[in-house]
């Protein structure tokens, strides 16, 4: 079996550390691993499969000889280094929002659209965490009974913002309990014992960018441009695990039992749904697991063809690291690692080596 030279850009971050865990747990066929971060972490040492490895600063030469580069170091870093990595011959799987809506970049959730991997040109985008868990649950239902409209309200954990936000919630929670005042750094307001209806920047239309990502990315992944979608994305004082209340309008009426039985067979989904014993998905128990959990499935009292459900997943695993590693596994299994036409044509990346759009 062939083994691959893997690089993780952002290895010291929350997602980067989860990448290491997921690669180890799934026995990913690695020949070597390069741990890359900014100059701040250069020289730091981390363990991969009981071997101590030095973290290096990410520079253009970091990608020479690399087969697969897993990026999770923010959009700016991806915009600059991903085209360089792709030109060096690596396939980039990028966790940032930098390339997700580019028409030449596949945006992939393996349970939904793994076929899209085959037309990559050196960069594959990993969707936003809230979008991933929603489409894993909605797509199996959509295949049976096309979805017309989705209204989703999210309850997103602070780990979605990175390690600084996890620290901020920890610090503020202690301060509030001790009767001290708090000073927000990561978020515009205190997050401990509070709820913020603001994730990413506000757009001119009143939505936030996170909400707009859910709308656009869902349509691209499901190849369903005509689904009407509205989202409200909310940050809650939870460490790990995003939860979503999702209202779905189908083409035909669907009973909760039918939805439960479709979802019980769906890849990557686990149904937890028994009100009698208060069984439903919770962020606390979803943390550290791979599945997308669905429960509270019921008829929408406001629409004859509507269902309501509660969808929860670990945003660092299925919402980021696990989904990206699953893309890499699928690419290897289907022998789609070489971009189409790479032998005959120069790879058309969407930015030059300085990250400027072409
Ligand atoms: N957290 C989630 O749920 C989630 C989900 C999906 C996607 N993502 C995306 O994944 C990325 C990272 O998220 P995170 O939660 O892991 O953040 P994080 O904990 O703040 O970690 C950021 C990582 O990026 C590295 N980095 C920052 N600037 C860099 C640069 N100029 N060059 C190279 N490396 C650099 C940092 O290295 P240093 O240690 O040197 O600072 C660190 O390893 C973001 O794009 C985020 O949008 C996150």
């Amino acid at each position: 079996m062939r083994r691959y030279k893997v690089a993780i850009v952002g290895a010291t971050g929350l997602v980067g550390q989860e990448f290491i865990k997921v690669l180890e747990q799934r026995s990913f066929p690695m020949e070597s691993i390069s741990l890359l971060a900014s100059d701040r972490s250069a020289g730091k040492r981390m363990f991969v499969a009981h071997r101590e490895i030095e973290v290096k600063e990410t520079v253009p030469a970091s990608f020479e000889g690399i087969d697969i580069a897993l990026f999770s170091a923010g959009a700016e870093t991806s915009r600059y280094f991903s085209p360089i990595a792709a030109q060096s011959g690596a396939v980039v799987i990028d966790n940032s929002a930098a390339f997700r809506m580019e028409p030449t970049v596949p945006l992939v959730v393996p349970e939904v659209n793994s076929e899209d991997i085959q037309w990559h040109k050196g960069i594959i985008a990993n969707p936003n965490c809230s979008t991933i868990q929603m489409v894993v649950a909605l797509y199996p239902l959509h295949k049976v009974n096309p979805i017309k409209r989705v209204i989703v309200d999210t309850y997103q954990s602070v780990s979605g913002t990175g390690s600084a936000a996890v620290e901020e919630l920890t610090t503020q929670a202690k301060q509030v309990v001790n009767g001290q005042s708090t000073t927000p750094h990561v978020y515009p307001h205190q997050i401990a014992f509070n709820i913020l209806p603001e994730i990413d920047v506000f757009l001119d239309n009143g939505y936030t960018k996170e909400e707009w990502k859910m709308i656009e990315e869902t349509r691209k992944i499901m190849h369903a441009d005509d689904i009407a979608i509205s989202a409200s994305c909310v940050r809650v004082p939870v460490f790990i695990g995003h939860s979503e209340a999702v209202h779905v309008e189908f083409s035909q009426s669907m009973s909760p039992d039918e939805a439960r039985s479709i979802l019980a067979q769906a890849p990557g989904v686990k149904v937890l749904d028994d009100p009698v014993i208060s069984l439903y998905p919770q962020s606390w128990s979803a943390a550290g697991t791979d599945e997308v959990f669905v429960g509270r499935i019921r008829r929408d009292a406001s629409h004859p063809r509507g269902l309501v459900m509660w969808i929860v997943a670990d945003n660092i695993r299925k919402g980021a690291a696990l989904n990206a590693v699953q893309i890499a596994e699928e690419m290897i299994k289907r022998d789609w690692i070489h971009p189409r036409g790479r032998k005959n044509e120069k790879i058309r990346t969407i930015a030059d080596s300085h990250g400027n759009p072409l």
Side-chain angles (χ1 to χ4, degrees):
M1 189 193 196
R2 201 187 144 188
R3 298 195 160 266
Y4 298 86
K5 293 182 177 146
V6 176
I8 300 178
V9 183
T12 51
L14 281 186
V15 176
Q17 292 174 60
E18 201 68 30
F19 266 135
I20 295 172
K21 238 191 260 175
V22 171
L23 290 167
E24 284 175 350
Q25 289 167 343
R26 296 173 77 88
S27 304
F28 191 85
M30 286 190 289
E31 182 185 322
S32 64
I33 185 152
S34 306
L35 303 182
L36 305 169
S38 76
D39 56 353
R40 290 181 295 271
S41 294
K44 198 175 159 188
R45 304 185 83 79
M46 296 175 77
F47 281 93
V48 182
H50 308 294
R51 273 181 41 226
E52 212 182 14
I53 296 183
E54 187 182 325
V55 177
K56 303 250 169 71
E57 182 185 353
T58 314
V59 293
S62 306
F63 302 99
E64 281 164 19
I66 295 295
D67 299 307
I68 299 169
L70 302 168
F71 273 69
S72 69
E76 213 176 302
T77 307
S78 289
R79 249 180 238 116
Y80 183 81
F81 283 112
S82 297
I84 297 173
Q87 293 285 4
S88 306
V91 178
V92 171
I93 303 176
D94 180 34
N95 257 290
S96 82
F99 303 109
R100 288 180 190 150
M101 293 314 295
E102 290 292 338
T104 54
V105 174
L107 180 68
V108 178
V109 176
E111 290 87 344
V112 178
N113 63 334
S114 60
E115 295 294 317
D116 285 341
I117 297 170
Q118 65 184 307
W119 53 265
H120 79 81
K121 299 199 169 9
I123 301 175
I124 302 168
N126 204 53
N128 172 270
C129 38
S130 316
T131 310
I132 293 176
Q133 66 184 66
M134 186 170 80
V135 298
V136 167
L138 292 191
Y139 188 67
L141 303 171
H142 175 71
K143 273 199 298 186
V144 175
N145 188 349
I147 292 172
K148 293 216 160 294
R149 184 175 184 219
V150 174
I151 297 170
V152 51
D153 299 317
T154 70
Y155 305 70
Q156 298 182 220
S157 66
V158 296
S159 56
T161 318
S163 39
V166 171
E167 217 175 293
E168 179 143 308
L169 174 57
T170 310
T171 307
Q172 288 183 355
K174 286 181 194 155
Q175 287 169 331
V176 174
V177 168
N178 291 324
Q180 297 161 345
S181 62
T182 63
T183 311
H185 298 287
V186 176
Y187 298 115
H189 306 284
Q190 176 182 308
I191 185 64
F193 305 97
N194 201 9
I195 283 176
L196 307 176
E198 176 182 356
I199 300 186
D200 211 332
V201 295
F202 280 103
L203 304 174
D204 290 343
N205 61 11
Y207 281 88
T208 62
K209 205 163 162 198
E210 182 84 352
E211 291 159 352
W212 211 249
K213 283 183 223 163
M214 288 198 79
I215 296 170
E216 291 191 321
E217 293 181 20
T218 299
R219 291 181 180 143
K220 179 170 176 177
I221 299 160
M222 290 180 39
H223 296 277
D225 287 344
D226 50 354
I227 297 184
I229 307 173
S230 185
S232 295
C233 292
V234 180
R235 188 71 68 193
V236 296
V238 164
F239 284 116
I240 294 176
H242 289 355
S243 305
E244 298 172 347
V246 187
H247 295 243
V248 191
E249 179 193 329
F250 294 94
S251 299
Q252 311 290 329
S253 154
M254 181 183 264
S255 73
D257 275 346
E258 192 185 347
R260 268 182 222 110
S261 78
I262 292 167
L263 290 172
Q265 310 294 323
V269 177
K270 185 156 187 177
V271 177
L272 293 179
D273 197 10
D274 188 351
V276 176
I277 53 166
S278 296
L279 181 68
Y280 38 72
Q282 298 164 62
S283 50
W284 185 262
S285 40
T289 68
D290 289 351
E291 292 90 355
V292 170
F293 299 92
V294 188
R296 299 288 326 275
I297 302 172
R298 60 201 190 275
R299 285 193 190 279
D300 186 335
S302 71
H303 199 285
R305 289 178 276 106
L307 286 181
V308 188
M309 60 196 77
W310 179 248
I311 302 173
V312 179
D314 181 327
N315 53 294
I316 302 289
R317 280 183 85 85
K318 185 55 189 166
L322 173 64
N323 195 72
V325 171
Q326 286 173 320
I327 292 172
E329 288 171 345
E330 195 67 19
M331 181 174 72
I332 290 168
K333 193 173 91 190
R334 313 277 287 261
D335 200 16
W336 288 334
I337 191 156
H338 299 294
R340 271 191 178 172
R342 173 171 277 191
K343 286 194 185 106
N344 311 325
E345 65 181 68
K346 202 166 156 14
I347 312 162
R348 204 186 85 75
T349 47
I350 50 192
D352 65 18
S353 59
H354 302 290
N356 301 313
L358 290 175

